[in-house]
Amino acid sequence: MVEGLLVSPAFWLLAFLGVILTGISKSGFAGGAGVVAVPLLALVMPVPLAVFLMLPLLLTMDIKTIHYYRQHTSTAELKKIVPAALAGIAAGGLLLGRLPVEMLKLLLGGLSVVFALWHRLAPRLGQMKGAAWLWGGISGLTSTLIHAGGPPINIYLIARQLPKLTWLASAGVFFGVMNTVKVFPYLMTGRWTLQLLALSLALLPLALLGTWLGRWIQGKIPEQQFVLYCRLLLLVSGLLLIAQVVTDQD
């Protein structure tokens, strides 16, 4: 499979778009459209392979994002959401290859679309009891299964009304912890081959370019417009998840 991808122009084009856009999303919009890479790559390769291919790249993006914004990190917020995410990762590790991914995508996609379009939900979700555990846990679960941890945690972060740089820094550390921990359940599946890792390394320059572009773009966006753009990316992410399920069924 990997050998075929090496000579596939479609793979390289989709990988270029997916990795660049994910990098921009990571360092520019706190992962607001971070689900774009797997749906794009799934057009030319199985979803599990796309998920494994992306993990080293996501880790690289997280490291760069943390480097850019680490001084703005909110430790208080991380203490609330990281334990929940770890529980979600544990559940996701047990469900790898067992849970119907299509159902998960539909639920997450639908929730993301509704939240992005209905701004009155934000205060309610931010103040509801157990919000950090709910969205942190869902983020860990969906991140483990389909690298779609961005929409759930951004639902929470939008509701918290954090300053832009605090949002970016906290999300960077959050995803960095999650993606590091995800290495262990991924290794246990036995699907991570040296060929796939080598392909990830070949795409590493795109991951670095994407995160640099994301930092540059967010510097041009006023604070008051940041949430609006994140809502838009949340909407796009939700629609992409739903579209992938519909396309797979055709």
Side-chain angles (χ1 to χ4, degrees):
M1 182 70 194
V2 175
E3 290 86 348
L5 294 174
L6 291 174
V7 295
S8 169
F11 166 76
W12 289 107
L13 175 61
L14 293 171
F16 176 85
L17 292 173
V19 175
I20 290 289
L21 289 174
T22 301
I24 291 173
S25 177
K26 280 274 191 181
S27 61
F29 300 95
V35 303
V36 69
V38 171
L40 285 175
L41 290 171
L43 296 173
V44 292
M45 63 192 301
V47 171
L49 284 185
V51 169
F52 282 88
L53 175 68
M54 283 301 300
L55 185 56
L57 302 174
L58 294 174
L59 276 168
T60 301
M61 296 172 190
D62 294 330
I63 291 170
K64 290 301 295 182
T65 301
I66 293 169
H67 172 72
Y68 289 150
Y69 307 118
R70 61 188 182 278
Q71 64 269 30
H72 301 282
T73 303
S74 171
T75 304
E77 290 294 345
L78 290 173
K79 286 180 179 179
K80 297 176 185 177
I81 55 179
V82 167
L86 296 179
I89 292 170
L94 294 174
L95 293 172
L96 271 174
R98 300 178 185 178
L99 189 70
V101 175
E102 290 77 13
M103 182 183 299
L104 190 66
K105 290 179 181 177
L106 279 177
L107 290 173
L108 180 58
L111 186 60
S112 298
V113 170
V114 170
F115 183 81
L117 295 176
W118 191 14
H119 70 279
R120 292 183 181 179
L121 278 176
R124 297 179 184 180
L125 292 175
Q127 296 169 7
M128 65 184 290
K129 187 175 181 180
W133 274 96
L134 174 64
W135 300 115
I138 293 175
S139 182
L141 175 67
T142 56
S143 180
T144 303
L145 295 175
I146 53 174
H147 287 325
I153 204 59
N154 273 310
I155 287 174
Y156 174 78
L157 293 175
I158 286 173
R160 299 300 292 169
Q161 298 182 339
L162 299 174
K164 179 175 68 171
L165 293 181
T166 302
W167 185 337
L168 289 166
S170 302
V173 175
F174 176 77
F175 289 122
V177 171
M178 279 211 306
N179 285 324
T180 300
V181 174
K182 279 159 54 179
V183 169
F184 299 100
Y186 279 36
L187 284 172
M188 292 175 64
T189 66
R191 296 183 181 180
W192 226 351
T193 66
L194 289 177
Q195 288 179 316
L196 205 55
L197 283 171
L199 193 55
S200 297
L201 289 175
L203 295 170
L204 205 58
L206 295 178
L208 296 173
L209 175 60
T211 49
W212 180 85
L213 287 171
R215 184 191 187 193
W216 180 79
I217 290 170
Q218 73 82 19
K220 306 296 182 181
I221 298 174
E223 186 91 20
Q224 62 270 22
Q225 293 182 11
F226 181 73
V227 173
L228 176 62
Y229 284 113
C230 285
R231 284 186 184 278
L232 177 60
L233 291 174
L234 187 61
L235 173 63
V236 171
S237 299
L239 292 174
L240 277 172
L241 288 168
I242 295 171
Q244 188 181 15
V245 175
V246 174
T247 303
D248 290 343
Q249 291 178 347
D250 290 341

